[in-house]
Amino acid sequence: MTLNDDSFTNWKNREEIAESMIPMIGKLHRERDVTVLLHSRSLVNKSVVSILKTHRFARQIAGEELSVTETLPFLEALTTLDLGPSQIDIGMLAATYRADDRGLSVLEFTAEAVAGATGANKIDRREPRDVVLYGFGRIGRLVARLLIEKSGSGNGLRLRAVVVRGGGDQDLVKRASLLRRDSVHGQFQGTITVDETNNKIIANGNEITVIYANSPAEVDYTAYGIRDAILIDNTGKWRDREGLSQHLRPGIDKVVLTAPGKGDVPNIVHGVNHDTIKPDEQILSCASCTTNAIVPPLKAMHDEYGVLRGHVETVHSFTNDQNLLDNYHKADRRGRSAPLNMVITETGAASAVAKALPDLKAPITGSSIRVPVPDVSIAILSLRLGRETTREEVLDHLREVSLTSPLKRQIDFTTAPDAVSMDFIGSRHASIIDAGATKVDGDNAILYLWYDNEFGYSCQVVRVVQHVSGVEYPTYPATSV
């Protein structure tokens, strides 16, 4: 047998193992509301090849590839335990078991590591919480995809309705088509049908009522059987408390804005300050995509080194706010053709840092350039640190943060020397640290942070909604604080 044959046989063996993992992952998710992760990446509803690629990606952050032969025993152990709703990272289980020298079996170690989610300690499964989308643009449709994806267990969040302004002929069919196919993010994973008689889009069994209204005041959500719902406003039309309060109609309990809030509206970056949300707070903002990209690594750097001042320059993909061709626009430069120009514009991300990180007293300035790509942006974060350090120390720290800290769902880490923006489409992290581009000189550090300003941000929005709805389940093994 040649070396080539050995490699192929090894691949087929790993395919077989990954195939055996799929029903176990699915059953844990459907029957116990357990989401199986691998280094913060969900394995639910993933194909054989996707599972293998996720294992291979571990080498980017952990330094070596993780094999399905290593993680399978931990997954098998999970199926024997009396688990409650939770998220369990089998990649972290494998890594921490490797470092454990007590001689425990895989089952013994796993049972100990996830003890908080078993037996008398497990939390009850939550009743489904209704969600309404006000607006159905780029972010609205991606949030819809995520909510539909996460409804597989029948618990958690349930997308009940979408509110849009009335359209012309075939309006419902066209909106369903935009949800079904996306030029950037690809096809919807599942089936979508349209019930024009009842004004519904049915996606993977989820019946979503499309409500036509020109203002929040026109809608009584209880008329559609919606109760105690969280409304996600992704229009950006209203950003202060007074404007957003218009959404607090019958059937709506809380309002979440997918844009920076103004005035006293809390700006929340999940992973950084989501635990400051007051239980009785009815209106909050998820800040901007750029704020979500820079605040987690900024916190990671400030916690370790102290930050005296900083500047962020974002090279941002164009958005719907710009024109395809030169035309009138209320902003001077944004009227110029987005696909043909680099456009200097402002960003509120730097000023929003103070709301998300009030303990950071360092001045942070910022500016932005819109460039001719449809998605994925990069933030160049230049920092003056409180002490001198080295590039190696900074990279080791950020790699560890991306693997084991409470920020591991927000911060990703790549060492790929050939990475470009398209490689990060579909990333579920708020930002991805490019190790190869990182520069450190004494007390000066420059971080290059990729971020999918559409999908990664939408994931952060859903995390905030999960948190305020009470369906954000704990993750095991527990991360260090």
Side-chain angles (χ1 to χ4, degrees), residues 313-325:
E313 187 78 32
T314 68
V315 182
H316 198 290
S317 59
F318 61 76
T319 67
N320 275 336
D321 171 63
Q322 295 170 258
N323 293 331
L324 283 174
L325 295 172

Side-chain angles (χ1 to χ4, degrees), residues 125-147:
R125 298 178 77 172
R126 303 286 194 261
E127 288 298 314
R129 184 72 176 269
D130 290 352
V131 177
V132 172
L133 293 177
Y134 198 94
F136 208 43
R138 298 297 300 152
I139 299 301
R141 292 194 297 273
L142 290 177
V143 169
R145 285 188 173 202
L146 287 164
L147 292 172

Side-chain angles (χ1 to χ4, degrees), residues 143 146-147 150 157 458-467:
V143 169
L146 287 164
L147 292 172
K150 294 178 182 300
L157 303 175
S458 296
C459 289
Q460 283 287 88
V461 171
V462 171
R463 289 172 190 139
V464 170
V465 174
Q466 287 178 311
H467 178 74

